[in-house]
Amino acid sequence: MADSWVNSAERIGADLHLELSGPGGRRAALTRALREAVRSGRLAPGTRLPPYRSLAADLGLARNTVADAYAELVAEGWLTARQGSGTRVAERARLLRDTPRVPRTSPPRARGPLHDLRQGTPDASAFPRTAWVASYRRAVQRAPREVFGPGDPAGRVELRQALTEYLARARGVRTDPDRVVVCSGFAHALRLLFAPGTGVLRGPLAVEAYGLDFHRELLKAAGVRTVPLPLDEEGARVAELGRERAVLLTPAHQFPTGGPLHAARRAAVVDWARARGGVIIEDDYDGEFRYDRKPVGALQGLDPEQVIHIGSVSKSLTPALRLGWMVLPERYVDGVLAAKGEREGWAGALEQLALADFLACGSYDRHVRRMRQHYRGRRDRLVAALAAHAPHVEVTGIAAGLHAVLRLPPGTERSTVKAARWQGIALDGLAAFRHPATDMPARDGLVVGYATPSEHAYGAALDALCGVLPPP
């Protein structure tokens, strides 16, 4: 028998796919199909089924066939039938549905770590739900009709205007809305800039000797060769730039080692870009979070025509929103939009409008200020715990961002990471971020994300961390 669709308005006003097949005739096939629809959750407990006359008409079956199927499922406990209430999926079906029919053949899902100290994610419990919902509600209520059609590849003008004003005020970025392109985050921005065949940017690309392996692999997949720049206490050694036409930097807070790019080197790399006709890609991934002083302004402010400034809300709000931005020199705007395509498919228009409202009404500023204090407190607790229990382990880099690097005695990183895993602690060793082609001497260290654990779990995570650190 062929598959059938039930579309009776007397049911729940929605289509239901029933596969009427298998042995035993039509009644047995219908009984199996309805039972499976309940068991799989497609028919939820309490759902009213259509009268058997309507269902029979929809499926081309005899009325008695449907009535008998209903009666069998009532007897089995899948359905209930009451005078005046019709036939409904039984509440008890929830328990029946959840009871496995066969023994498990696959292993249970692995549990997460006991203590999550991985870098890269903010405190999920601190997301400003109430303020965000208010902004989202206003955005939907005020949204013009065209919002619900195909999107502009540049992104909603409301968000580009709000970002222009915010970035100028908070990060010293100089631009206008026509040079802002909305994307889904830094990785998406890299894909657009180096998309094969678009000609926006080409390699080789100079990168810092320590950085995200994910970004290097993304560039490699696009056919881009990366050339590592050594690092020291003043940041990337930009004087060693060679014949590259572009360089990727994290100048406000080097990732992951934690130092800022020295002022003289900021000026020097801009001069290099001017002389070479090149461009600097500025990853401003956590520029708002500086704790020992006011945040340093963006490198882009020194020369907007030589710097591509990229930011997102993944550290300040949540990576779940998938919203970021590129502030582009004028000569790259058309190429990036061509790479992005005619229809925006990466960042939802309603989320863009909500973020525009969130910025314009001041909620974003208030949230960042609150989280700046929150994360400063987290970092201070980490430093205090080390001072008390492992004073020989130094926290390196500036007081900023959502992670810290702990310098370990030479030769102890691998064993410490292994010990941490045995104790259920998720974190990364510094070696995981080292460019494979660099000749810079290796450093032993741990990259500890102090933003990730919830507040109630953070103390236990620090205790566990201190317990696995090597002796002096």
Side-chain angles (χ1 to χ4, degrees), residues 1 4 20 25-31 34 50-71:
M1 282 175 278
S4 298
L20 304 185
R26 294 191 172 204
R27 191 189 78 177
L30 176 60
T31 303
L34 287 171
Y52 65 83
R53 296 178 181 84
S54 300
L55 184 60
D58 283 339
L59 298 179
L61 300 175
R63 295 179 183 179
N64 286 344
T65 299
V66 178
D68 290 345
Y70 276 16

Side-chain angles (χ1 to χ4, degrees), residues 16 29 54 132 143 162 165 176 185 209 278 329 365 379 421 430 441 448 458:
L16 173 65
S54 300
W132 180 257
E165 296 170 1
D176 59 66
D365 286 90
R379 188 181 188 278
R421 289 175 181 165
L430 196 54
V448 176
Y458 187 53

Side-chain angles (χ1 to χ4, degrees), residues 260-312:
L261 187 64
H262 190 276
R265 294 187 182 179
R266 289 163 67 97
V269 74
V270 170
D271 290 342
W272 168 85
R274 289 170 179 163
R276 290 282 301 163
V279 67
I280 305 157
I281 302 171
E282 178 180 24
D283 182 0
D284 198 38
Y285 69 101
D286 65 359
E288 294 122 328
F289 295 110
R290 182 79 184 256
Y291 313 131
D292 58 344
R293 51 165 293 173
K294 289 185 178 180
V296 175
L299 182 64
Q300 190 266 4
L302 294 180
D303 192 335
E305 291 304 318
Q306 306 301 330
V307 181
I308 297 173
H309 178 88
I310 304 175
S312 77

Side-chain angles (χ1 to χ4, degrees), residues 6-48:
V6 179
N7 55 21
S8 171
E10 297 180 69
R11 189 177 60 84
I12 51 174
D15 291 338
L16 173 65
H17 177 69
L18 294 176
E19 184 177 347
L20 304 185
S21 61
R26 294 191 172 204
R27 191 189 78 177
L30 176 60
T31 303
R32 281 194 300 271
L34 287 171
R35 187 187 294 115
E36 182 57 32
V38 175
R39 179 184 288 118
S40 66
R42 291 190 294 130
L43 284 176
T47 300
R48 182 174 181 174

Side-chain angles (χ1 to χ4, degrees), residues 304-451:
E305 291 304 318
Q306 306 301 330
V307 181
I308 297 173
H309 178 88
I310 304 175
S312 77
V313 300
S314 64
K315 303 296 186 294
S316 57
L317 283 172
T318 170
L321 281 178
R322 310 309 306 150
L323 284 173
W325 50 86
M326 287 184 280
V327 179
L328 296 162
E330 186 174 2
R331 66 187 182 275
Y332 295 126
V333 173
D334 289 343
V336 168
L337 293 180
K340 205 173 183 194
E342 288 293 324
R343 297 198 175 196
E344 168 55 55
W346 291 88
L350 294 177
E351 286 76 13
Q352 292 181 51
L353 291 177
L355 180 57
D357 182 273
F358 201 71
L359 287 162
C361 74
S363 292
Y364 188 83
D365 286 90
R366 288 190 289 273
H367 175 71
V368 167
R369 286 196 297 270
R370 181 167 64 88
M371 297 314 296
R372 195 178 287 141
Q373 294 300 315
H374 179 59
Y375 295 142
R376 178 178 182 170
R378 288 286 186 93
R379 188 181 188 278
D380 288 347
R381 289 175 64 184
L382 170 63
V383 172
L386 293 172
H389 303 288
H392 59 287
V393 176
E394 178 188 1
V395 179
T396 65
I398 58 174
L402 280 63
H403 76 276
V405 173
L406 312 189
R407 181 176 295 169
L408 297 178
T412 62
E413 177 184 317
R414 182 177 297 181
S415 60
T416 303
V417 171
K418 184 177 180 180
R421 289 175 181 165
W422 275 104
Q423 296 300 320
I425 307 169
L427 47 69
D428 295 299
L430 196 54
F433 303 95
R434 189 170 186 266
H435 196 294
T438 186
D439 57 4
M440 178 180 168
R443 307 175 181 179
D444 281 73
L446 300 178
V447 181
V448 176
Y450 48 75

Side-chain angles (χ1 to χ4, degrees), residues 107-229:
R109 181 178 299 177
R111 293 179 57 190
L114 294 175
H115 309 290
D116 193 349
L117 293 173
R118 289 172 290 194
Q119 61 75 33
T121 57
D123 182 354
S125 65
F127 181 78
R129 296 172 187 248
T130 301
W132 180 257
V133 167
S135 285
Y136 198 95
R137 183 182 295 112
R138 286 192 294 267
V140 173
Q141 291 171 341
R142 300 170 184 173
R145 183 176 299 176
E146 69 268 16
V147 167
F148 300 94
D152 183 342
R156 289 298 307 179
V157 66
E158 297 90 340
L159 178 55
R160 290 186 281 119
Q161 180 64 48
L163 285 169
T164 298
E165 296 170 1
Y166 171 77
L167 292 172
R169 172 171 51 80
R171 303 295 299 126
V173 169
R174 295 187 286 151
T175 191
D176 59 66
D178 290 339
R179 292 166 57 173
V180 177
V181 174
V182 178
C183 58
S184 67
F186 187 80
H188 183 207
L190 278 186
R191 289 188 176 98
L192 293 174
L193 290 171
F194 291 95
T198 64
V200 180
L201 293 178
R202 291 177 295 175
L205 171 69
V207 298
E208 294 161 328
Y210 281 82
L212 276 176
D213 178 66
F214 169 69
H215 292 161
R216 293 195 294 266
E217 291 301 316
L218 183 156
L219 291 162
K220 182 180 179 181
V224 178
R225 182 170 66 90
T226 57
V227 180
L229 277 178

